[in-house]
Amino acid sequence: MGSSQSSLQVRLQKKPKMSQQELQRQYQRNLSEQQLADHLSARRALEDSSISRTADLCQIPGINGQAPSIIASTANNESFYHQRPTTIHSTADGSRTRQNFRWIDGRRHHNMEGAPYLLPNDIDEMDRLHLQHYVIRHAFGGNTRAKFDGKVHKDVLDVGCGPGTWILEMSTEHTETNFTGIDISAVWPTEIRPRNCRFQVVDATQGLPFEDNTFDFVYQRFMILGYPAASWPFVIQELVRVTKPGGIIELTEIPVVSNANGPELSRIMEILEAGCIAKGLDTKVAKKLDTLLRDAGLVDVKSCHASIPVGAWGTKVGQLMRENSAGIWASLRGWIKELTNMNDAQYEAMIKRIFVEYEVHRCYVNCYCAWGVKPHPQDSSLEAETSANQH
Ligand SMILES: C[S@@+](CC[C@H](N)C(=O)[O-])C[C@H]1O[C@@H](n2cnc3c(N)ncnc32)[C@H](O)[C@@H]1O
């Protein structure tokens, strides 16, 4: 992560000059100068991108014509992320209380009992999640795949919201909608945030602390390393329970194992996948999201996927995904070293070889998305009646 972190910092130092209009917008939104600069540079990077939205450019199977691109952004609450162990935050209103953390290989992790989540929750990881957010947003052409309508979707839940990149963007855009983000780690901004969003520490595998039929839109992204395989159906049931009839649930995941892997990457992916399975995780849940939604009773279930290059071979998008992957390798270093008995030097050498393989083998990941509608009670009983009559 060292090199990716420094390149991110270099980009951030080059703050774009703000126009009067942009300054005004900043004032209105009550964002800090740094936050606004980050958002602006990310947006400009996307606008300036010479990447066309075509499949052939990236030349990977199943790209869906949705070539992803660019991004730049950063964690916006450094003092918070840099806090040392045993101090931190949480609570229903997002204010700070004490919470213990675990430190693994120099990285800060959650300390939620029973939660298998493997990735850290420190500033480096938050940087990575911001970066990843913008690549994914571009890959899918927006923040949601289901049609989001601020006039209809008044209450929104983001499950496993992390630093809140998605929710902060959505709540800035849809000012008349109330957004709630939940996560096992309180890594969201506590001081500067839109008025229409709030955060709460919740372990989703233990049930959601909301009334039935509370939300119009429930969003969940990248929880593959968060939930034990056995918990997925329960969590989805909980998502359905708190969704209003007629409301939408949207899920997005990337499988643990990437595609077009070279020999080194294949070897380590095998070890990684076995390690995840040993921890009780479902490494293939990404491909089953639509089935999970249907099994939970949703209707009008739709799904899609975008193939996203990893490596400079995939132009700027690929470079950013490689940067993202550098972050993941850095985040998982402690655990992988433990799984493989490697030392630091061996680990770094392996990552270098993997980076070469990204280019030679044209590595890519598939990002899967599925969404569906919670039926109204009368629709469900009608459906049950129809299917009973058919038998
Ligand atoms: C890979 S991050 C994704 C963050 C965000 N959804 C995004 O797409 O940028 C996964 C997040 O899930 C959270 N998480 C893991 N297990 C969880 C659980 N059982 N309940 C709630 N959140 C959890 C982690 O703390 C982390 O912030």
Side-chain angles (χ1 to χ4, degrees), residues 315-377:
T315 64
K316 283 195 173 171
V317 181
Q319 285 168 25
L320 289 166
M321 277 307 269
R322 186 183 58 186
E323 190 175 324
N324 181 52
S325 96
I328 297 176
W329 290 119
S331 290
L332 290 176
R333 191 177 65 172
W335 185 53
I336 296 179
K337 274 175 17 191
E338 201 182 293
L339 285 175
T340 56
N341 279 328
M342 271 186 232
N343 61 31
D344 282 331
Q346 289 166 327
Y347 191 74
E348 294 312 323
M350 178 190 75
I351 300 303
K352 276 194 182 138
R353 291 194 295 275
I354 286 174
F355 271 47
V356 172
E357 288 186 356
Y358 282 160
E359 310 303 338
V360 175
H361 295 266
R362 297 182 158 235
C363 180
Y364 66 95
V365 293
N366 282 332
C367 185
Y368 294 87
C369 181
W371 62 98
V373 178
K374 176 171 172 177
H376 290 272

Side-chain angles (χ1 to χ4, degrees), residues 1 5 107-108 117 119-130 132 163 327-328 331:
M1 184 74 179
Q5 170 80 3
R107 303 293 301 270
R108 198 188 72 182
Y117 189 60
L119 294 170
N121 63 9
D122 52 19
I123 189 166
D124 287 352
E125 175 64 5
M126 297 309 115
D127 265 357
R128 185 191 72 76
L129 289 175
H130 287 308
Q132 182 176 254
I328 297 176
S331 290

Side-chain angles (χ1 to χ4, degrees), residues 110 112 114-121 125-126 128-130 132-133 136 158-166 182-188 200-206 208 219-228 235 252-253:
H110 76 85
M112 182 72 81
Y117 189 60
L118 287 162
L119 294 170
N121 63 9
E125 175 64 5
M126 297 309 115
R128 185 191 72 76
L129 289 175
H130 287 308
Q132 182 176 254
H133 164 80
I136 299 304
D158 181 10
V159 181
C161 61
T165 328
W166 183 87
I182 59 169
D183 200 289
I184 51 169
S185 291
V187 287
W188 42 73
Q200 194 167 334
V201 172
V202 173
D203 177 351
T205 62
Q206 301 303 305
L208 301 179
Y219 187 75
Q220 180 183 280
R221 187 172 68 183
F222 302 148
M223 300 302 286
I224 194 164
L225 299 180
Y227 302 152
V235 173
T252 301
E253 296 293 336

Side-chain angles (χ1 to χ4, degrees), residues 148-351:
F148 187 90
D149 183 349
K151 291 195 195 87
V152 177
H153 302 128
K154 292 292 177 198
D155 290 289
V156 174
L157 176 67
D158 181 10
V159 181
C161 61
T165 328
W166 183 87
I167 212 171
L168 291 169
E169 275 199 2
M170 289 290 287
S171 53
T172 303
E173 199 176 324
H174 303 282
T175 49
E176 301 303 312
T177 298
N178 296 313
F179 289 83
T180 303
I182 59 169
D183 200 289
I184 51 169
S185 291
V187 287
W188 42 73
T190 51
E191 270 110 43
I192 301 170
R193 59 176 193 232
R195 285 193 185 83
N196 55 330
C197 70
R198 65 187 187 116
F199 297 99
Q200 194 167 334
V201 172
V202 173
D203 177 351
T205 62
Q206 301 303 305
L208 301 179
F210 307 110
E211 300 283 318
D212 295 358
N213 310 325
T214 301
F215 298 100
D216 302 291
F217 199 101
V218 174
Y219 187 75
Q220 180 183 280
R221 187 172 68 183
F222 302 148
M223 300 302 286
I224 194 164
L225 299 180
Y227 302 152
S231 298
W232 272 93
F234 170 73
V235 173
I236 302 293
Q237 260 175 34
E238 277 294 279
L239 303 190
V240 176
R241 181 183 66 75
V242 301
T243 303
K244 289 178 193 166
I248 292 173
I249 300 178
E250 178 166 323
L251 311 174
T252 301
E253 296 293 336
I254 296 177
V256 167
V257 178
S258 50
N259 305 92
N261 303 322
E264 183 82 53
L265 189 53
S266 301
R267 189 183 67 83
I268 200 66
M269 281 294 180
E270 231 173 77
I271 295 171
L272 202 62
E273 190 172 29
C276 288
I277 292 168
K279 278 195 174 285
L281 299 170
D282 183 346
T283 58
K284 296 194 170 76
V285 74
K287 294 184 186 175
K288 302 185 245 175
L289 299 178
D290 50 350
T291 308
L292 279 168
L293 291 180
R294 276 191 204 97
D295 288 353
L298 292 205
V299 294
D300 287 338
V301 175
K302 296 188 178 67
S303 61
C304 69
H305 78 275
S307 298
I308 310 176
V310 185
W313 74 270
T315 64
K316 283 195 173 171
V317 181
Q319 285 168 25
L320 289 166
M321 277 307 269
R322 186 183 58 186
E323 190 175 324
N324 181 52
S325 96
I328 297 176
W329 290 119
S331 290
L332 290 176
R333 191 177 65 172
W335 185 53
I336 296 179
K337 274 175 17 191
E338 201 182 293
L339 285 175
T340 56
N341 279 328
M342 271 186 232
N343 61 31
D344 282 331
Q346 289 166 327
Y347 191 74
E348 294 312 323
M350 178 190 75
I351 300 303

